[in-house]
PDB file of all heavy atoms in Angstrom:
ATOM      1  N   GLU D 234      -8.387 -30.670 -61.822  1.00 95.00           N
ATOM      2  CA  GLU D 234      -7.739 -29.553 -61.136  1.00 95.00           C
ATOM      3  C   GLU D 234      -6.346 -29.921 -60.641  1.00 95.00           C
ATOM      4  O   GLU D 234      -5.570 -29.041 -60.272  1.00 95.00           O
ATOM      5  CB  GLU D 234      -8.609 -29.092 -59.959  1.00 95.00           C
ATOM      6  CG  GLU D 234      -9.861 -28.334 -60.401  1.00 95.00           C
ATOM      7  CD  GLU D 234     -10.794 -28.024 -59.242  1.00 95.00           C
ATOM      8  OE1 GLU D 234     -10.528 -28.533 -58.115  1.00 95.00           O
ATOM      9  OE2 GLU D 234     -11.778 -27.297 -59.451  1.00 95.00           O
ATOM     10  N   ARG D 235      -6.031 -31.205 -60.642  1.00 95.00           N
ATOM     11  CA  ARG D 235      -4.680 -31.618 -60.244  1.00 95.00           C
ATOM     12  C   ARG D 235      -3.690 -31.137 -61.306  1.00 95.00           C
ATOM     13  O   ARG D 235      -3.927 -31.296 -62.507  1.00 95.00           O
ATOM     14  CB  ARG D 235      -4.607 -33.141 -60.107  1.00 95.00           C
ATOM     15  CG  ARG D 235      -5.448 -33.678 -58.961  1.00 95.00           C
ATOM     16  CD  ARG D 235      -5.148 -35.140 -58.721  1.00 95.00           C
ATOM     17  NE  ARG D 235      -5.830 -35.647 -57.550  1.00 95.00           N
ATOM     18  CZ  ARG D 235      -5.401 -36.671 -56.814  1.00 95.00           C
ATOM     19  NH1 ARG D 235      -4.265 -37.292 -57.142  1.00 95.00           N
ATOM     20  NH2 ARG D 235      -6.079 -37.079 -55.766  1.00 95.00           N
ATOM     21  N   PRO D 236      -2.564 -30.591 -60.897  1.00 93.00           N
ATOM     22  CA  PRO D 236      -1.625 -30.009 -61.870  1.00 93.00           C
ATOM     23  C   PRO D 236      -1.067 -31.002 -62.887  1.00 93.00           C
ATOM     24  O   PRO D 236      -0.698 -30.613 -63.992  1.00 93.00           O
ATOM     25  CB  PRO D 236      -0.518 -29.424 -60.981  1.00 93.00           C
ATOM     26  CG  PRO D 236      -0.654 -30.119 -59.664  1.00 93.00           C
ATOM     27  CD  PRO D 236      -2.104 -30.407 -59.505  1.00 93.00           C
ATOM     28  N   ASP D 237      -1.023 -32.279 -62.512  1.00 94.00           N
ATOM     29  CA  ASP D 237      -0.443 -33.269 -63.424  1.00 94.00           C
ATOM     30  C   ASP D 237      -1.504 -34.119 -64.117  1.00 94.00           C
ATOM     31  O   ASP D 237      -1.181 -35.110 -64.766  1.00 94.00           O
ATOM     32  CB  ASP D 237       0.509 -34.186 -62.653  1.00 94.00           C
ATOM     33  CG  ASP D 237      -0.176 -34.903 -61.483  1.00 94.00           C
ATOM     34  OD1 ASP D 237      -1.237 -34.422 -61.031  1.00 94.00           O
ATOM     35  OD2 ASP D 237       0.357 -35.938 -61.023  1.00 94.00           O
ATOM     36  N   ALA D 238      -2.781 -33.727 -64.014  1.00 97.00           N
ATOM     37  CA  ALA D 238      -3.865 -34.570 -64.517  1.00 97.00           C
ATOM     38  C   ALA D 238      -3.805 -34.787 -66.024  1.00 97.00           C
ATOM     39  O   ALA D 238      -3.844 -35.922 -66.504  1.00 97.00           O
ATOM     40  CB  ALA D 238      -5.220 -33.969 -64.122  1.00 97.00           C
ATOM     41  N   LEU D 239      -3.719 -33.717 -66.796  1.00 96.00           N
ATOM     42  CA  LEU D 239      -3.749 -33.853 -68.256  1.00 96.00           C
ATOM     43  C   LEU D 239      -2.492 -34.536 -68.788  1.00 96.00           C
ATOM     44  O   LEU D 239      -2.556 -35.306 -69.753  1.00 96.00           O
ATOM     45  CB  LEU D 239      -3.928 -32.483 -68.903  1.00 96.00           C
ATOM     46  CG  LEU D 239      -5.311 -31.844 -68.706  1.00 96.00           C
ATOM     47  CD1 LEU D 239      -5.372 -30.480 -69.383  1.00 96.00           C
ATOM     48  CD2 LEU D 239      -6.395 -32.760 -69.260  1.00 96.00           C
ATOM     49  N   GLU D 240      -1.369 -34.268 -68.162  1.00 97.00           N
ATOM     50  CA  GLU D 240      -0.130 -34.944 -68.573  1.00 97.00           C
ATOM     51  C   GLU D 240      -0.252 -36.452 -68.332  1.00 97.00           C
ATOM     52  O   GLU D 240       0.110 -37.274 -69.184  1.00 97.00           O
ATOM     53  CB  GLU D 240       1.063 -34.386 -67.804  1.00 97.00           C
ATOM     54  CG  GLU D 240       2.392 -35.037 -68.185  1.00 97.00           C
ATOM     55  CD  GLU D 240       3.568 -34.493 -67.376  1.00 97.00           C
ATOM     56  OE1 GLU D 240       3.369 -33.526 -66.611  1.00 97.00           O
ATOM     57  OE2 GLU D 240       4.673 -35.059 -67.515  1.00 97.00           O
ATOM     58  N   ALA D 241      -0.798 -36.825 -67.156  1.00 97.00           N
ATOM     59  CA  ALA D 241      -0.977 -38.237 -66.838  1.00 97.00           C
ATOM     60  C   ALA D 241      -1.988 -38.879 -67.779  1.00 97.00           C
ATOM     61  O   ALA D 241      -1.825 -40.031 -68.200  1.00 97.00           O
ATOM     62  CB  ALA D 241      -1.441 -38.392 -65.390  1.00 97.00           C
ATOM     63  N   LEU D 242      -3.025 -38.119 -68.137  1.00 98.00           N
ATOM     64  CA  LEU D 242      -4.045 -38.632 -69.044  1.00 98.00           C
ATOM     65  C   LEU D 242      -3.461 -38.910 -70.425  1.00 98.00           C
ATOM     66  O   LEU D 242      -3.701 -39.972 -71.021  1.00 98.00           O
ATOM     67  CB  LEU D 242      -5.206 -37.634 -69.135  1.00 98.00           C
ATOM     68  CG  LEU D 242      -6.363 -38.006 -70.058  1.00 98.00           C
ATOM     69  CD1 LEU D 242      -6.945 -39.365 -69.697  1.00 98.00           C
ATOM     70  CD2 LEU D 242      -7.452 -36.929 -69.984  1.00 98.00           C
ATOM     71  N   GLN D 243      -2.701 -37.965 -70.949  1.00 97.00           N
ATOM     72  CA  GLN D 243      -2.108 -38.154 -72.273  1.00 97.00           C
ATOM     73  C   GLN D 243      -1.103 -39.306 -72.272  1.00 97.00           C
ATOM     74  O   GLN D 243      -1.042 -40.097 -73.218  1.00 97.00           O
ATOM     75  CB  GLN D 243      -1.425 -36.864 -72.737  1.00 97.00           C
ATOM     76  CG  GLN D 243      -0.899 -36.925 -74.166  1.00 97.00           C
ATOM     77  CD  GLN D 243      -1.978 -37.276 -75.181  1.00 97.00           C
ATOM     78  OE1 GLN D 243      -2.987 -36.587 -75.302  1.00 97.00           O
ATOM     79  NE2 GLN D 243      -1.790 -38.377 -75.918  1.00 97.00           N
ATOM     80  N   THR D 244      -0.346 -39.423 -71.198  1.00 97.00           N
ATOM     81  CA  THR D 244       0.609 -40.528 -71.086  1.00 97.00           C
ATOM     82  C   THR D 244      -0.108 -41.874 -71.060  1.00 97.00           C
ATOM     83  O   THR D 244       0.316 -42.840 -71.721  1.00 97.00           O
ATOM     84  CB  THR D 244       1.465 -40.369 -69.810  1.00 97.00           C
ATOM     85  OG1 THR D 244       2.201 -39.154 -69.883  1.00 97.00           O
ATOM     86  CG2 THR D 244       2.419 -41.540 -69.645  1.00 97.00           C
ATOM     87  N   THR D 245      -1.201 -41.938 -70.315  1.00 97.00           N
ATOM     88  CA  THR D 245      -1.968 -43.179 -70.226  1.00 97.00           C
ATOM     89  C   THR D 245      -2.586 -43.534 -71.572  1.00 97.00           C
ATOM     90  O   THR D 245      -2.603 -44.708 -71.975  1.00 97.00           O
ATOM     91  CB  THR D 245      -3.071 -43.059 -69.153  1.00 97.00           C
ATOM     92  OG1 THR D 245      -2.473 -42.706 -67.899  1.00 97.00           O
ATOM     93  CG2 THR D 245      -3.827 -44.374 -68.990  1.00 97.00           C
ATOM     94  N   LEU D 246      -3.084 -42.543 -72.280  1.00 97.00           N
ATOM     95  CA  LEU D 246      -3.630 -42.785 -73.618  1.00 97.00           C
ATOM     96  C   LEU D 246      -2.568 -43.382 -74.537  1.00 97.00           C
ATOM     97  O   LEU D 246      -2.825 -44.346 -75.264  1.00 97.00           O
ATOM     98  CB  LEU D 246      -4.158 -41.475 -74.212  1.00 97.00           C
ATOM     99  CG  LEU D 246      -5.504 -40.964 -73.699  1.00 97.00           C
ATOM    100  CD1 LEU D 246      -5.745 -39.531 -74.158  1.00 97.00           C
ATOM    101  CD2 LEU D 246      -6.636 -41.862 -74.187  1.00 97.00           C
ATOM    102  N   THR D 247      -1.382 -42.827 -74.488  1.00 96.00           N
ATOM    103  CA  THR D 247      -0.291 -43.325 -75.327  1.00 96.00           C
ATOM    104  C   THR D 247       0.096 -44.749 -74.941  1.00 96.00           C
ATOM    105  O   THR D 247       0.261 -45.617 -75.805  1.00 96.00           O
ATOM    106  CB  THR D 247       0.927 -42.402 -75.209  1.00 96.00           C
ATOM    107  OG1 THR D 247       0.565 -41.063 -75.601  1.00 96.00           O
ATOM    108  CG2 THR D 247       2.067 -42.887 -76.091  1.00 96.00           C
ATOM    109  N   GLN D 248       0.218 -44.994 -73.633  1.00 94.00           N
ATOM    110  CA  GLN D 248       0.610 -46.322 -73.156  1.00 94.00           C
ATOM    111  C   GLN D 248      -0.416 -47.384 -73.530  1.00 94.00           C
ATOM    112  O   GLN D 248      -0.062 -48.534 -73.792  1.00 94.00           O
ATOM    113  CB  GLN D 248       0.803 -46.285 -71.642  1.00 94.00           C
ATOM    114  CG  GLN D 248       2.004 -45.469 -71.186  1.00 94.00           C
ATOM    115  CD  GLN D 248       2.062 -45.333 -69.679  1.00 94.00           C
ATOM    116  OE1 GLN D 248       1.064 -45.515 -68.973  1.00 94.00           O
ATOM    117  NE2 GLN D 248       3.244 -45.015 -69.157  1.00 94.00           N
ATOM    118  N   ARG D 249      -1.699 -47.010 -73.543  1.00 93.00           N
ATOM    119  CA  ARG D 249      -2.775 -47.978 -73.808  1.00 93.00           C
ATOM    120  C   ARG D 249      -3.204 -47.988 -75.279  1.00 93.00           C
ATOM    121  O   ARG D 249      -4.190 -48.631 -75.632  1.00 93.00           O
ATOM    122  CB  ARG D 249      -3.989 -47.630 -72.942  1.00 93.00           C
ATOM    123  CG  ARG D 249      -3.691 -47.555 -71.448  1.00 93.00           C
ATOM    124  CD  ARG D 249      -3.573 -48.911 -70.817  1.00 93.00           C
ATOM    125  NE  ARG D 249      -3.258 -48.822 -69.388  1.00 93.00           N
ATOM    126  CZ  ARG D 249      -3.567 -49.737 -68.493  1.00 93.00           C
ATOM    127  NH1 ARG D 249      -4.203 -50.827 -68.879  1.00 93.00           N
ATOM    128  NH2 ARG D 249      -3.235 -49.595 -67.220  1.00 93.00           N
ATOM    129  N   SER D 250      -2.489 -47.232 -76.108  1.00 93.00           N
ATOM    130  CA  SER D 250      -2.801 -47.144 -77.547  1.00 93.00           C
ATOM    131  C   SER D 250      -4.236 -46.677 -77.781  1.00 93.00           C
ATOM    132  O   SER D 250      -4.961 -47.215 -78.626  1.00 93.00           O
ATOM    133  CB  SER D 250      -2.573 -48.510 -78.222  1.00 93.00           C
ATOM    134  OG  SER D 250      -1.233 -48.918 -78.090  1.00 93.00           O
ATOM    135  N   CYS D 251      -4.651 -45.683 -77.020  1.00 95.00           N
ATOM    136  CA  CYS D 251      -5.986 -45.103 -77.152  1.00 95.00           C
ATOM    137  C   CYS D 251      -5.884 -43.674 -77.693  1.00 95.00           C
ATOM    138  O   CYS D 251      -4.859 -43.001 -77.528  1.00 95.00           O
ATOM    139  CB  CYS D 251      -6.709 -45.093 -75.806  1.00 95.00           C
ATOM    140  SG  CYS D 251      -7.103 -46.732 -75.168  1.00 95.00           S
ATOM    141  N   ASN D 252      -6.967 -43.217 -78.314  1.00 95.00           N
ATOM    142  CA  ASN D 252      -6.999 -41.866 -78.886  1.00 95.00           C
ATOM    143  C   ASN D 252      -7.994 -40.937 -78.202  1.00 95.00           C
ATOM    144  O   ASN D 252      -7.924 -39.726 -78.375  1.00 95.00           O
ATOM    145  CB  ASN D 252      -7.340 -41.942 -80.380  1.00 95.00           C
ATOM    146  CG  ASN D 252      -6.292 -42.698 -81.172  1.00 95.00           C
ATOM    147  OD1 ASN D 252      -5.108 -42.440 -81.020  1.00 95.00           O
ATOM    148  ND2 ASN D 252      -6.720 -43.641 -82.006  1.00 95.00           N
ATOM    149  N   LEU D 253      -8.938 -41.527 -77.464  1.00 97.00           N
ATOM    150  CA  LEU D 253      -9.990 -40.757 -76.808  1.00 97.00           C
ATOM    151  C   LEU D 253     -10.117 -41.195 -75.359  1.00 97.00           C
ATOM    152  O   LEU D 253      -9.770 -42.326 -75.007  1.00 97.00           O
ATOM    153  CB  LEU D 253     -11.336 -40.970 -77.505  1.00 97.00           C
ATOM    154  CG  LEU D 253     -11.564 -40.325 -78.868  1.00 97.00           C
ATOM    155  CD1 LEU D 253     -12.634 -41.091 -79.630  1.00 97.00           C
ATOM    156  CD2 LEU D 253     -11.979 -38.862 -78.690  1.00 97.00           C
ATOM    157  N   ALA D 254     -10.644 -40.305 -74.536  1.00 98.00           N
ATOM    158  CA  ALA D 254     -10.911 -40.652 -73.143  1.00 98.00           C
ATOM    159  C   ALA D 254     -12.262 -40.077 -72.730  1.00 98.00           C
ATOM    160  O   ALA D 254     -12.576 -38.922 -73.051  1.00 98.00           O
ATOM    161  CB  ALA D 254      -9.812 -40.120 -72.230  1.00 98.00           C
ATOM    162  N   VAL D 255     -13.054 -40.883 -72.053  1.00 98.00           N
ATOM    163  CA  VAL D 255     -14.296 -40.427 -71.430  1.00 98.00           C
ATOM    164  C   VAL D 255     -14.117 -40.622 -69.931  1.00 98.00           C
ATOM    165  O   VAL D 255     -14.048 -41.761 -69.452  1.00 98.00           O
ATOM    166  CB  VAL D 255     -15.521 -41.208 -71.938  1.00 98.00           C
ATOM    167  CG1 VAL D 255     -16.777 -40.763 -71.196  1.00 98.00           C
ATOM    168  CG2 VAL D 255     -15.696 -41.004 -73.439  1.00 98.00           C
ATOM    169  N   LEU D 256     -13.997 -39.536 -69.200  1.00 98.00           N
ATOM    170  CA  LEU D 256     -13.753 -39.586 -67.766  1.00 98.00           C
ATOM    171  C   LEU D 256     -15.086 -39.482 -67.034  1.00 98.00           C
ATOM    172  O   LEU D 256     -15.868 -38.562 -67.287  1.00 98.00           O
ATOM    173  CB  LEU D 256     -12.838 -38.443 -67.338  1.00 98.00           C
ATOM    174  CG  LEU D 256     -11.575 -38.188 -68.192  1.00 98.00           C
ATOM    175  CD1 LEU D 256     -10.799 -37.009 -67.631  1.00 98.00           C
ATOM    176  CD2 LEU D 256     -10.710 -39.428 -68.238  1.00 98.00           C
ATOM    177  N   LEU D 257     -15.334 -40.405 -66.119  1.00 98.00           N
ATOM    178  CA  LEU D 257     -16.600 -40.437 -65.380  1.00 98.00           C
ATOM    179  C   LEU D 257     -16.320 -40.257 -63.895  1.00 98.00           C
ATOM    180  O   LEU D 257     -15.561 -41.022 -63.296  1.00 98.00           O
ATOM    181  CB  LEU D 257     -17.320 -41.766 -65.610  1.00 98.00           C
ATOM    182  CG  LEU D 257     -17.595 -42.152 -67.070  1.00 98.00           C
ATOM    183  CD1 LEU D 257     -18.219 -43.538 -67.141  1.00 98.00           C
ATOM    184  CD2 LEU D 257     -18.501 -41.124 -67.727  1.00 98.00           C
ATOM    185  N   GLY D 258     -16.936 -39.237 -63.306  1.00 97.00           N
ATOM    186  CA  GLY D 258     -16.705 -38.957 -61.890  1.00 97.00           C
ATOM    187  C   GLY D 258     -17.981 -38.949 -61.091  1.00 97.00           C
ATOM    188  O   GLY D 258     -19.080 -38.801 -61.629  1.00 97.00           O
ATOM    189  N   MET D 259     -17.837 -39.116 -59.784  1.00 94.00           N
ATOM    190  CA  MET D 259     -19.003 -39.042 -58.902  1.00 94.00           C
ATOM    191  C   MET D 259     -18.582 -38.552 -57.530  1.00 94.00           C
ATOM    192  O   MET D 259     -17.485 -38.839 -57.042  1.00 94.00           O
ATOM    193  CB  MET D 259     -19.689 -40.410 -58.788  1.00 94.00           C
ATOM    194  CG  MET D 259     -18.795 -41.547 -58.354  1.00 94.00           C
ATOM    195  SD  MET D 259     -19.677 -43.127 -58.388  1.00 94.00           S
ATOM    196  CE  MET D 259     -18.276 -44.272 -58.225  1.00 94.00           C
ATOM    197  N   HIS D 260     -19.475 -37.788 -56.933  1.00 90.00           N
ATOM    198  CA  HIS D 260     -19.284 -37.280 -55.580  1.00 90.00           C
ATOM    199  C   HIS D 260     -20.094 -38.176 -54.670  1.00 90.00           C
ATOM    200  O   HIS D 260     -21.316 -38.252 -54.769  1.00 90.00           O
ATOM    201  CB  HIS D 260     -19.779 -35.831 -55.484  1.00 90.00           C
ATOM    202  CG  HIS D 260     -19.678 -35.255 -54.105  1.00 90.00           C
ATOM    203  ND1 HIS D 260     -18.486 -34.836 -53.572  1.00 90.00           N
ATOM    204  CD2 HIS D 260     -20.624 -35.026 -53.154  1.00 90.00           C
ATOM    205  CE1 HIS D 260     -18.693 -34.368 -52.350  1.00 90.00           C
ATOM    206  NE2 HIS D 260     -19.979 -34.477 -52.073  1.00 90.00           N
TER     207      HIS D 260
END
Side-chain angles (χ1 to χ4, degrees):
E234 287 173 352
R235 293 190 174 207
D237 58 340
L239 290 180
E240 180 182 353
L242 179 56
Q243 186 56 58
T244 299
T245 304
L246 283 168
T247 302
Q248 291 174 340
R249 304 283 179 154
S250 299
C251 293
N252 297 312
L253 287 156
V255 176
L256 314 179
L257 305 176
M259 55 185 167
H260 177 76

